[in-house]
Amino acid sequence: MDAAEFRRRGKEMVDYVADYLEDIEKRPVYPDLEPGYLRSLIPTEAPLEPESYEDVIKDVERVIMPGVTHWHSPYFFAYFPAASSYPAMLADMLCGAIGCIGFSWAASPACTELETVMLDWLGKMLQLPECFIAGTHGRGGGVIQGTASEATLMSLLAARCKAVRRIQAANSKKSESEILSKLVAYTSEQAHSSVERAALIGAVMMRKVPTDKHYAVRKETLQKMVEEDKAAGLIPFYFCATLGTTPSCAFDHLTELGPLCNEENMWMHIDAAYAGSAFICPEFRPLLNGVEFADSFNFNPHKWLLVNFDCSAMWVKERADIIGAFKMEPLYLKHENQESGLVTDYRHWQIPLGRRFRSLKMWFVFRMYGLKGLQAHIRKQVGLAKEFESLVRADKRFEICAEVVLGLVCFRLKGPNELNQELLKRITKTREIHLVPCQLSGRFVLRFAICARTTESRHIQQAWQHITQLTFELLQEAGH
């Protein structure tokens, strides 16, 4: 393919993408096929001779689309949103064309510098404390990670390194292995599985903290566990707080937990993967109160802020803590500006070496939507969740299972878990809407998350009509 054909095919692809997204609600939201469907549709080996673009694009509909779960369908209400917007897609196209591997400032200065500034822009939108803003002289700053899972792992590993160095500074006879065997981390029993996974990778003990009736961690519970562990000779060093848990969008009490973590020399990381986007709205910003006590904070613009995957924003109060844990300086990566004080090399902030020019997506989206446009998107989707909540509450057969704060509604049919399991099975089988479950207080609960950018009130009403029709059939069969 030469430049002339690329121009032609590129325009065709933009048309295909625009048609796909405009007509996406006509497609079944969930695929109807069995595992292994694809292997029989394509050859067992790559072609020896080149094939035409026409043949490849025909196979997108024949091979790929039948196996796609359409995350951007307005009838997709599962998991949490996967953000998408036309400006972000265009920026991703440019990112692919530039194709730099931005592991250091010298590897592509614009890639590094735009990221630093975009994280400052976003931090200011969130009204983060000044200590998290890089500016030109700040000690903190932000970085784009691939996912919240990576951000949690990076914070835990940085906390582990900081704890070992602090203890060895006080007692040089203590070996690293001895200290590591006694380190203990904490997180909510409602926290995402990636937090526990970070502890497995980091080879440290992690304890799950029980939550209150609102599924939030309170100071008294964590304090009791910390005191017990210290009495047993263990070393508490890390707590991962969650703002907007995956099951129910619950919020740990930062203003209670933060001072405790500071007193106990425990690194506090905040995982706000989904909910963090909402904090750009003044009415939701109080949910972030207490962030001033944190050592690191993370959320995913690629969930709810119209920036396509992958783009997970992470800030640290002291960048020396994270850089100091991972810094490696082989000669072939050194450059003359790295000690200037105005430059950060992001390879020291992450697990991989290479990194894409992801900040372009933020730059395009922030400029083309503006803060007001982004706030309007969040508010609209919260309003749609409230609309669905009111429909559920008006039907006495159903119950709401957790407070609806943002864009997630947790609900269930009154009755046994088996009844709700059967309802979800029928919902999935029809492929008209897509939901996933969670477990709250031992109950099987259906989660209804507002996900697609194009979701409107009519989609909420149609989804509820579909759920109630299936409920009527199910209860009739069950003899209710």
Side-chain angles (χ1 to χ4, degrees):
M1 184 182 289
D2 58 17
E5 187 182 2
F6 176 72
R7 289 177 193 276
R8 187 169 79 256
R9 300 307 189 187
K11 289 167 186 170
E12 290 173 7
M13 180 58 80
V14 168
D15 285 340
Y16 179 85
V17 169
D19 289 344
Y20 164 71
L21 291 172
E22 281 191 329
D23 298 332
I24 195 169
E25 65 182 85
K26 297 175 184 176
R27 297 176 184 260
V29 65
Y30 192 68
D32 180 23
L33 39 77
E34 296 297 321
Y37 89 95
L38 189 144
R39 187 172 287 275
S40 63
L41 298 178
I42 59 176
T44 56
E45 295 178 1
L48 187 62
E49 300 294 336
E51 297 182 5
S52 71
Y53 179 81
E54 285 88 353
D55 288 341
V56 175
I57 204 70
K58 279 178 193 169
D59 280 351
V60 171
E61 284 295 336
R62 184 182 71 87
V63 178
I64 303 302
M65 285 301 175
V68 170
T69 299
H70 298 287
W71 280 64
H72 302 291
S73 167
Y75 296 114
F76 182 94
F77 304 107
Y79 312 108
F80 276 133
S84 176
S85 69
Y86 294 119
M89 287 181 230
L90 291 172
D92 237 356
M93 187 187 296
L94 179 58
C95 170
I98 292 173
C100 63
I101 311 298
F103 49 76
S104 71
W105 180 86
S108 197
C111 182
T112 293
E113 295 200 14
L114 186 64
E115 183 164 337
T116 303
V117 176
M118 287 303 98
L119 270 293
D120 279 0
W121 277 19
L122 185 52
K124 290 172 183 176
M125 288 187 213
L126 296 163
Q127 299 177 45
L128 288 183
E130 193 65 29
C131 54
F132 287 103
I133 306 300
T136 54
H137 301 292
R139 292 164 58 182
V143 59
I144 299 174
Q145 303 284 359
T147 62
S149 306
E150 292 171 47
T152 301
L153 176 59
M154 290 299 294
S155 68
L156 182 135
L157 294 176
R160 186 185 73 173
C161 178
K162 188 176 182 180
V164 168
R165 289 175 179 174
R166 184 184 72 246
I167 294 163
Q168 286 186 326
N171 186 349
S172 59
K173 292 182 180 178
K174 282 192 178 289
S175 68
E176 183 172 338
S177 60
E178 182 187 356
I179 297 167
L180 289 175
S181 69
K182 293 182 177 181
L183 292 181
V184 58
Y186 306 86
T187 195
S188 166
E189 63 182 3
Q190 296 289 316
H192 195 272
S193 58
S194 61
V195 182
E196 189 176 2
R197 196 159 178 257
L200 288 173
I201 297 170
V204 295
M205 193 186 326
M206 178 165 277
R207 296 190 63 192
K208 293 185 178 180
V209 185
T211 56
D212 65 11
K213 64 180 181 179
H214 301 293
Y215 307 108
V217 172
R218 305 303 297 257
K219 176 185 176 180
E220 297 76 22
T221 314
L222 177 60
Q223 189 167 28
K224 184 172 181 288
M225 294 175 71
V226 168
E227 288 171 355
E228 287 172 357
D229 288 341
K230 286 166 68 179
L234 298 175
I235 306 169
F237 81 105
Y238 177 88
F239 172 63
C240 180
T242 305
L243 297 181
T245 59
T246 300
S248 67
C249 199
F251 294 80
D252 291 339
H253 292 263
L254 298 186
T255 51
E256 300 175 3
L257 297 161
L260 172 64
C261 290
N262 290 176
E263 290 163 16
E264 297 291 344
N265 247 330
M266 292 163 56
W267 182 298
M268 184 168 81
H269 175 68
I270 300 171
D271 173 10
Y274 162 68
S277 296
F279 304 153
I280 66 170
C281 299
E283 64 269 33
F284 299 124
R285 177 57 179 78
L287 295 168
L288 187 56
N289 288 351
V291 66
E292 62 271 17
F293 300 109
D295 295 276
S296 52
F297 166 69
N298 165 248
F299 85 97
N300 291 341
H302 69 231
K303 273 194 169 65
W304 208 11
L305 212 58
L306 301 176
V307 179
N308 290 51
F309 188 85
D310 57 335
C311 182
S312 185
M314 179 187 186
W315 290 264
V316 290
K317 191 176 280 182
E318 294 279 351
R319 62 176 175 262
D321 289 340
I322 202 163
I323 294 170
F326 303 103
K327 193 168 187 177
M328 301 288 287
E329 290 286 19
L331 183 59
Y332 50 81
L333 293 179
K334 288 186 176 182
H335 57 92
E336 61 183 8
N337 291 298
Q338 64 185 37
E339 305 300 337
S340 69
L342 293 173
V343 168
T344 190
D345 284 349
Y346 278 124
R347 70 179 185 274
H348 302 310
W349 297 56
Q350 62 176 23
I351 300 296
L353 175 66
R355 52 206 335 274
R356 299 188 309 120
F357 201 163
R358 292 174 289 202
S359 57
L360 281 172
K361 293 182 288 192
M362 301 174 81
W363 195 44
F364 275 47
V365 168
F366 294 167
R367 294 182 67 185
M368 296 184 73
Y369 277 90
L371 178 56
K372 287 184 177 179
L374 296 171
Q375 289 171 334
H377 170 67
I378 298 292
R379 288 171 178 144
K380 176 185 173 182
Q381 298 217 321
V382 173
L384 291 173
K386 292 291 185 182
E387 180 180 346
F388 185 80
E389 178 191 14
S390 68
L391 293 170
V392 176
R393 289 192 184 279
D395 191 324
K396 299 305 177 188
R397 298 171 298 177
F398 288 88
E399 59 184 331
I400 295 291
C401 304
E403 183 184 0
V404 179
V405 180
L406 298 176
L408 174 67
V409 182
C410 293
F411 73 107
R412 71 192 301 276
L413 261 175
K414 293 174 182 175
N417 285 341
E418 292 75 18
L419 197 64
N420 287 278
Q421 289 166 350
E422 179 60 26
L423 176 59
L424 181 61
K425 186 178 177 182
R426 294 183 182 206
I427 289 170
T428 303
K429 191 174 181 181
T430 65
R431 302 188 295 138
E432 290 191 25
I433 62 174
H434 191 41
L435 280 66
V436 295
C438 69
Q439 190 171 58
L440 295 172
S441 304
R443 296 179 300 171
F444 186 89
V445 172
L446 280 64
R447 296 171 74 264
F448 189 96
I450 311 300
C451 291
R453 173 177 50 85
T454 54
T455 306
E456 302 287 348
S457 176
R458 67 181 176 88
H459 301 112
I460 304 301
Q461 297 291 333
Q462 288 170 23
W464 180 242
Q465 187 178 4
H466 184 64
I467 291 167
T468 53
Q469 177 60 38
L470 292 175
T471 299
F472 174 76
E473 297 168 2
L474 173 61
L475 294 178
Q476 265 202 330
E477 290 175 24
H480 290 276

